[in-house]
Amino acid sequence: MAADFNWAVGGEAGDGIDSTGKIFAQALSRAGRHVFTSKDFASRIRGGYTAYKVRTSVDKVQSVVDRLDVLIALTPRTIEENLDELHEGSVIIYDGERTTMQDVEIPEGMIGLDVPLKSLAEEAGGAIMRNVVALGAACEVAEFPIENLDSALEKRFKDKGQKLVDNNKEAARAGQSYVAEEYDHEFDYSLETTDEDYVLLNGDEAIGMGAIAAGCRFYAGYPITPATDVMTYLTGRIERYGGHVVQAEDELSAINMALGAARGGARAMTATSGPGIDLMTETFGLIATSETPLVICNVMRSGPSTGMPTKQEQGDLNQMLYGGHGEVPRFVLAPTTIDECFWKTVEAFNLAEKYQVPVYLTADLSMAVTEQTFSPDTFDMDEVEVDRGNVVDETTIDDHMSESGGFQPHEITDDGISPRAFPGTADGAHMSTGLEHDEQGRRTEDTDMRVAQVDKRNRKVETAREREDWSPREFGDADADDLVITWGSNEGALAEAVDILDEEGQDVRVLSVPYIFPRPDLSEDVAAAETTVVVECNEQGQFADLVEHDVLERVDRVNKYNGVRFKADELAAEIKSTLEAGVEA
Amino acid sequence: MSSDIRFTDFKSDKQPTWCPGCGDFGTMNGMMKALAETGNDPDNTFVVAGIGCSGKIGTYMHSYALHGVHGRALPVGTGVKMARPDIEVMVAGGDGDGYSIGAGHFVHAVRRNVDMTYVVMDNRIYGLTKGQASPTSREDFETSTSPEGPKQPPVNPHALALASGATFIAQSFSSDALRHQEIIQEAIEHDGFGFVNVYSPCVTFNDVDTYDYFRDSLVDLKEADHDPTDREAAKDVILDNEKEHQGVIYKDESSVPYHEQHGVDEDMSVLPDGAPEGATDLVREFY
Ligand SMILES: Cc1ncc(C[n+]2csc(CCOP(=O)(O)OP(=O)(O)O)c2C)c(N)n1
Ligand code: SF4
C-alpha cells in the first residue's frame, strides 16, 4: 500500500474540532484521496478532550493505526493524549500566543510549528476561523494543494454567503504562507491527488440513505448517542421523498409509532442504542407476534446501563437475539462495513416485509461515527430492489378468507408466510394483537391453534434459511490452516491485520459475518481449520458462544472491551499470540 | 366507501366478554354509530386499543385494528395516521391505560394535535386486573390496593389536555346513548386531536361511580349555555371539581392537524419497485 498520512485535530469539546476535521477530510476526498476518519470524544458538550483523526492514502483505507504525522493541538492535553501515536518527525501545529499553549513543550525529535492562529484569523475576518488557518498550515506541511481545501470550504459555507467563503479561503492562505515563510523546512510529506471522485460518509448516514432508498417513509426516534445521526440524516431529507420523521417523547413511543406506520402499510423504522432497545423490548414482542414488518436499528455503544455512551462495544448481541419475554422469531443483521450499512438496510426492509418479522439492524459506535470514502457507484440506486412480500389487494384477497368470510392475516401456510392487507383494502379489515390469535387474528387459547401459530411463525425462519443467501464474506488465504471469524465493524482492521500477518509469514482465512440470525452454518469451516479465533468487541464473546453452539466445538477468542475499537497492528499481534498459544496447547 | 354503511357493520362476530351491564357496551355502540354516521366503513377505519377491559374493544369491533401493549395506543395511532392520512383513526383505552402508564404519551399526542379521536373509557378503577385504584379514583376510594383510599387527588385529564394545548376536549356518559354518540361524532369531525373522556361505569368493582351517581350529578354543557370556543369558560368547567359535566368543553375551530402542519398528505403504503426517483441526489450530497 502506498504510504498513508495520518492527521488529527484535537482540543476541547466546543472548539469546533468536528467541523475542522470534517473540512479536511472532505478536502482530501475531493482531491481523489481515500479517507478514513475516527473520533475520540467524551460525553460532554463543552470541556472534555475531543479529537478528529483522518487517515488518508491513494489506496483504500479502512481502519485506524497508531500513528500521527501531523497534529493540530488546540490544547496542551491534545499532545499528551496522542503522545503514543506521535513519532520522530511528527509535526505539531499550535498557537503559542494562546494562554494555555504558552508553556507547551514539543517532545524530543518532533517539529513544533508555532503559528499565531488567532491573530491570523482575525486579520482574515474573525477569530473563529483560527482552525481554518491551522488547516492552511497543515496543507503546507503536507504539500497538499490548497485549492482542494477551498472547494471543501465552499461546500461548507456557501449557504452562508460568498463573503464567508472568501474570508475562510483567505484564512487558510494566511496559515499556509505563514508556515512557508517562517519555517524554511522540508517536510517529509507530499500528498498526491488523483482524478477519482469519492463520496465521504459514516455508518449512520449510510443507514439513513439506505432507508430512504429502500422506500422507508416513516421514522420515529428519540435522540441517543450514537444513533442520533440516523435521525439527523433523515430529517429534512426523507420529506423530499414523501416521508416524515417524528422526534418521539421516548423510545416506547418511537417504536409504537413505527409499528403504527408499518400497520398502515408504510416501510417504517426506528433507531436507537442499548438503553433504548431495553425500553422497546415489550413492544418488540407485540411486533413479532402481530407479524408486523419493522426495521429496528441498534447502534451499539458501551453498556451495561448508561455504560460509556461515547465508546465502542459490541455487547448487545444477546439482547437482540434473546431480549423480550416469550419466544418470537426475529432477524438480526449486522453490516460489517460502512458501505454495507447501506445495502444491509435495504435488505433489512425487504426481509422484514417478505417474512413479516421485526428485523434488528445493528451497527456499532465505531462504524456509526466513522467516515470513509467510496466510489459513488458503490451506492448505485438502480441496484436497489423493493420486495414487499405477500401483500394482497382487492382481487387476491378472496383467496385468503375464512369460512365465515373474514380475512386471515395469520393464515397457516406451508412456508409460514401469511397474506398482508393494508388498511383501505376492501374486505381486509382485521385485528392485529399481541395476544395469541387464530388465523383471523382473534384472541385464542385453543391449544392446537397456539401450537399451530407458534410453528407457523417459526417456519418463516426455515423458509428464509432456504430462500436467502446468508453467506459470510471471505478474505485472507483460502487455504490457510487457521480461521478467524468476526462480525461488525472489525472487518476493516482485520483486513489490514491479515496483510500484516502475511508479511510475518502467518496465513489466516477470514470470515466476516453480517448475519447473526439467521446466520451461516460455519461448522464445515471450523472443522476444516486447525484453530478458529473469533474476534469481537465485548468481554463475554457473545458471537463466539453462538459459533460454539452451532459447530459443537471450542473456539478461541480475541476480545476487546476498553471502549476503543481494534487497530490493525494490535489485532494482528493478538491473533498471532492466540494462534501460537493454541498450537502450544 | 359505500353510503349504505350501518353501524352494525362495525360489529365483529365475537361476543363481548364484558360483565353484563358494563359501561363499555354503551361506549362502543356510540363509537360504532358515530363512525357510520360520519361516513366511515370498516375498511377505511383503524382502531387502536389499549390494554384493559376497555382495550378489548378492538376485538369486538370490525375494522382494521391493533390491540397494543399497555399504555402505548396513542403513539400507534400517531404512526397509522402519519402513514395513512386517508384513514380514519380512533384510539380507545381505559383511564389506567391512558392516564397512568400512558400519561406521557397523552400529553404529547395532545400537543402534536394528531388528527385522530381518542376515547378514554373512564371507570375510575382498574377493571381487568380486578379492582385496584386508578389515576381517576377518588381520594378516599377504598380498593384492594388502597384500603383507606389512594390519598392523592385524582388526575384531571381535561386540565392536563388543556394545559398541553388541546384543540378538542369533551366528556360523555356511556349510558346517555344519544349525547355520547353526538359528542364522539363531533370529535371525529374535528380537524385534530379529538379527546373524549367517557364515563363508562364498572359494575363489578366500582360501587361509588355508578350509573345512578353519574345520572344524578351530570350537568350537560349544552343546556348550561357553555360556549366551547371560549377557552376561559372551558378552564372554569375543567377546574370545577364540584360538578360532573358532559358535552364539548373546548374546541379550537382554527385547529390545523399535525399532518397538515408538516405537509404529510401522501399514502405512504404506495412504493416504487426500486429506489425513489431522484435518490441519486442522496449520494451526490456526500461529494
Ligand atoms: C406493562 C404492563 N403492566 C401491567 C399490565 C397489567 N394490566 C392490564 S390492564 C391494567 C389496568 C387497566 O386499567 P384501565 O386502563 O383503567 O382499564 P379497565 O380495565 O378499567 O378498562 C393493568 C395494570 C400489563 N398488561 N402490562
Ligand atoms: S370488570 Fe368492570 S370494566 Fe371490566 S368488564 Fe366488568 S364491569 Fe366492565
Side-chain angles (χ1 to χ4, degrees), chain B residues 18-19 22 24 53 123 127 202-205:
Chain B
W18 288 320
C19 308
C22 175
D24 293 350
C53 295
N123 52 15
C202 170
V203 293
T204 305
F205 298 111

Side-chain angles (χ1 to χ4, degrees), chain B residues 213-276:
Chain B
Y213 163 72
F214 285 115
R215 208 172 286 128
D216 293 345
S217 53
L218 267 185
V219 174
D220 198 314
L221 294 168
K222 209 153 83 174
E223 284 144 29
D225 231 11
H226 171 68
D227 174 7
T229 62
D230 180 345
R231 203 162 181 273
E232 283 304 313
K235 201 155 72 182
D236 292 341
V237 169
I238 286 170
L239 295 181
D240 178 2
N241 290 330
E242 302 300 310
K243 289 200 194 89
E244 308 284 3
H245 295 98
Q246 98 172 327
V248 177
I249 301 170
Y250 179 64
K251 184 174 177 174
D252 175 358
E253 288 181 322
S254 59
S255 157
V256 182
Y258 181 93
H259 69 277
E260 281 180 25
Q261 283 190 43
H262 289 263
V264 176
D265 50 14
E266 281 180 44
D267 171 350
M268 293 185 192
S269 70
V270 183
L271 286 188
D273 292 339

